[in-house]
Amino acid sequence: MAFTKIIHRISNTEYRIPNIEYRISNTAHRIPNSQHQPTRIKMAEEKLPTRAENFAEWYNQLVLKSELADYAPVKGCMVVRPYGWALWENITAALDKRFKETGHVNAAFPMLIPMSFFEKEKEHVEGFAPELAVVTHGGGSELEEPLAVRPTSETIIGHMYSKWIKSWRDLPVLINQWGSVLRWEMRTKLFLRTAEFYWQEGHTAHADKDEALEEMYRMLDVYTDFAVNEAALPVLKGYKSETERFAGAQITTSIEGMMQDKRALQSATSHYFGTNFAKAFEIQFLNKSNALQFAETTSWGLSTRIVGAIVMTHGDDQGLVLPPRLAPIQVVIVPIFKNDDEKSKVMEVAERVFAELKAAGMRVKVDDRDNVSSGFKFNDWEMRGVPVRLEVGPKDVEKGSVALARRDKPGREGKSFVSQAGLASTVSGLLVEIQDALLKRATDFRDANIHDPKSYDELKKVLENGWAFSWWCESKECEAKVKEDTKATTRNIPLDQPEGHGTCVVCGKPAKKKVYFAKAY
RNA sequence: CGGGGUGUGGCGCAGUUGGCAGCGCACCGCGUUUGGGACGCGGGGGUCGUGGGUUCAAAUCCCUCCACCCCGACCA
């Protein structure tokens, strides 16, 4: 990228900032006595490639055109745009509520970590060394000790916990942090893998193993509950294999989702560290018997990657399809008119409907742009995944009706005409229906694409276009062979296993556990 | 780091005997439009990735460097 081009890009960005007026109606459709301009939204142009044509390109263009995110001038970094951030805020709100309900508190730890901290836990340093970004200079001179930009915070938090934890009375410590981390990545993709990403990382310390394990499972359940009930993502929870485990963990659990291209996406993780980090950072306390003891620690995280999961699970060839519970805008009202006379009548109804839905707690927006046609607006809001579109035209004013279009069923099938009377309950009912329909559709798709191959040859065939749920002897050799032959990896081993045992689909030896194999992001 | 490719207005591109740098979209203004991606007229915007060379003359020919994209080894 030439220097002049960068300048252009930067200055263009600056130029457009005042023009981007993204607002959700929770803040109000019109703010009286404020000097804000009429709502202006950058238009989503052109059509997307279809998912069948080119899934990767469909995803890239969709994320850009729906204005979830844009590329930053630094390779591998993304800018989360207001619409994408509004979605993320709804995600964080739903999770944060659950964290608080399970007894956690939020705090903030520094972004810069002394390099020496990473060397204290052997596996941790081996796992993260290749992805570290390191600060070597500050204030114009070279630093005595280089500082790593955090790729995750186990080390710095371990250091602080050793200062804070002295007695069994100090435990448990249940802290969560919302922030971003940086991992140097070779190949990046918006939301799914960027150098810097936003996330939440919980770090807890406990007096004994059972309590720490309970915490790990509890948070995995929190993620599952969030994914299923808020994001409508039918995730599968289980244990990671030794090779797929977090660097430094004794047990790693995850939730895994199936995208529409049938690749797996790890959507959140929850780890049990035993006393690994406690020993590395000397997190010790006096127990009730006055004996010095190492604490048991856990960590668990969910990142902006979940936005990618939502896009790739629910999106269609028209654009995003957002689950109503997380959608920044749940209902968009499109007024339709030919002249000023019609406009005033239509707008009166539109504003009244807006107020009713808003009062009923829905996130609503009136699209009163007058420089684009209504047909354009339909496509535009479909691109952005708004669950319900409500059209108000002159005919509706006469008949006391509105047109309702549900995003999960494009075209005529999803469109109906309903009375203005009782509209708030009609629409809120429809939002619930859409939420349920998205979960059901994704669950059916997932179940239809998980297979149970009877032989290794069949396994290889199945993994070309789906997942396998197979008996596995848990050896690294068999896992590596599958990866070598098919590029698929073990995703996780379900917590709840079927009865009995079988034979490993790879080597034929006795196997106690069934595992999901899939190609993963 | 290996293999392949591309650099020309914001985006996508055209530009061969070397001779005034163009088109579509987007953007700005005015008017007509608006129930599934409207149209007309008028505008603004580019040291052709960088540095050098050849030439009366370079986006175009030669060399240097740089950046980005795609494919392989690491990863929430």
Side-chain angles (χ1 to χ4, degrees), chain A residues 158-229:
Chain A
H159 175 83
M160 297 313 295
Y161 280 9
S162 76
K163 282 176 72 174
W164 298 340
I165 297 167
K166 298 295 171 200
S167 152
W168 64 273
R169 294 176 201 279
D170 297 327
L171 295 170
V173 174
L174 306 171
I175 293 179
N176 176 63
Q177 158 166 264
W178 288 99
S180 70
V181 287
L182 188 76
R183 300 177 184 180
W184 217 256
E185 297 287 352
M186 310 237 186
R187 300 195 57 201
T188 60
K189 192 161 178 159
L190 294 172
F191 289 112
L192 301 178
R193 181 168 303 110
T194 49
E196 184 187 22
F197 58 89
Y198 300 88
W199 76 343
Q200 135 301 295
E201 47 180 325
H203 295 269
T204 68
H206 307 266
D208 61 61
K209 178 174 179 175
D210 287 348
E211 196 185 299
L213 285 172
E214 191 187 330
E215 169 76 3
M216 175 190 74
Y217 290 124
R218 178 184 300 118
M219 300 324 286
L220 188 67
D221 282 343
V222 163
Y223 289 138
T224 307
D225 176 54
F226 163 80
V228 173
N229 296 315

Side-chain angles (χ1 to χ4, degrees), chain A residues 132-334:
Chain A
L132 284 187
V134 181
V135 178
T136 56
H137 288 71
S141 57
E142 190 166 351
L143 301 175
E144 202 161 306
E145 180 181 358
L147 301 170
V149 181
R150 64 180 173 213
T152 179
S153 304
E154 275 74 13
T155 59
I156 186 112
I157 291 178
H159 175 83
M160 297 313 295
Y161 280 9
S162 76
K163 282 176 72 174
W164 298 340
I165 297 167
K166 298 295 171 200
S167 152
W168 64 273
R169 294 176 201 279
D170 297 327
L171 295 170
V173 174
L174 306 171
I175 293 179
N176 176 63
Q177 158 166 264
W178 288 99
S180 70
V181 287
L182 188 76
R183 300 177 184 180
W184 217 256
E185 297 287 352
M186 310 237 186
R187 300 195 57 201
T188 60
K189 192 161 178 159
L190 294 172
F191 289 112
L192 301 178
R193 181 168 303 110
T194 49
E196 184 187 22
F197 58 89
Y198 300 88
W199 76 343
Q200 135 301 295
E201 47 180 325
H203 295 269
T204 68
H206 307 266
D208 61 61
K209 178 174 179 175
D210 287 348
E211 196 185 299
L213 285 172
E214 191 187 330
E215 169 76 3
M216 175 190 74
Y217 290 124
R218 178 184 300 118
M219 300 324 286
L220 188 67
D221 282 343
V222 163
Y223 289 138
T224 307
D225 176 54
F226 163 80
V228 173
N229 296 315
E230 302 283 349
L233 302 174
V235 293
L236 296 164
K237 56 179 181 176
Y239 300 100
K240 283 293 196 182
S241 73
E242 199 182 324
T243 38
E244 297 287 325
R245 201 177 287 163
F246 180 83
Q250 287 190 7
I251 302 173
T252 288
T253 59
S254 73
I255 53 174
E256 306 276 336
M258 184 191 288
M259 306 298 103
Q260 289 182 73
D261 61 354
K262 292 150 203 161
R263 287 174 75 180
L265 186 74
Q266 177 172 304
S267 303
T269 50
S270 182
H271 316 287
Y272 165 69
F273 294 129
T275 54
N276 288 4
F277 281 93
K279 284 175 179 157
F281 290 91
E282 297 179 313
I283 308 172
Q284 286 177 297
F285 65 97
L286 280 174
N287 62 24
K288 290 180 186 175
S289 320
N290 200 35
L292 208 50
Q293 188 182 327
F294 286 113
E296 301 267 339
T297 64
T298 80
S299 84
W300 26 275
L302 177 147
S303 74
T304 37
R305 184 180 238 197
I306 199 83
V307 173
I310 291 169
V311 174
M312 291 195 292
T313 300
H314 300 308
D316 66 19
D317 291 344
Q318 317 304 321
L320 289 180
V321 178
L322 296 178
R325 291 182 66 86
L326 296 177
I329 300 170
Q330 295 170 313
V331 183
V332 64
I333 301 171
V334 179

Side-chain angles (χ1 to χ4, degrees), chain A residues 38-106:
Chain A
T39 304
R40 301 180 64 177
I41 302 127
K42 180 72 172 57
M43 295 192 288
E45 313 103 21
E46 302 163 29
K47 282 194 171 170
L48 293 168
T50 65
R51 290 162 295 172
E53 269 165 22
N54 187 342
F55 193 81
E57 201 43 37
W58 167 83
Y59 176 84
N60 286 338
Q61 291 192 25
L62 177 48
V63 169
L64 294 172
K65 285 179 177 165
S66 62
E67 299 184 347
L68 292 176
D70 201 353
Y71 295 103
V74 178
K75 182 171 153 59
C77 290
M78 69 172 162
V79 174
V80 181
R81 300 186 63 174
Y83 192 56
W85 195 258
L87 176 58
W88 177 239
E89 281 178 338
N90 289 341
I91 292 166
T92 62
L95 280 169
D96 202 62
K97 177 169 167 276
R98 287 166 168 78
F99 296 158
K100 303 274 172 59
E101 279 168 358
T102 44
H104 302 86
V105 289
N106 287 331

Side-chain angles (χ1 to χ4, degrees), chain A residues 36 62 234 277 451 458 516:
Chain A
H36 84 279
L62 177 48
F277 281 93
H451 310 284
E458 203 184 318
Y516 292 106

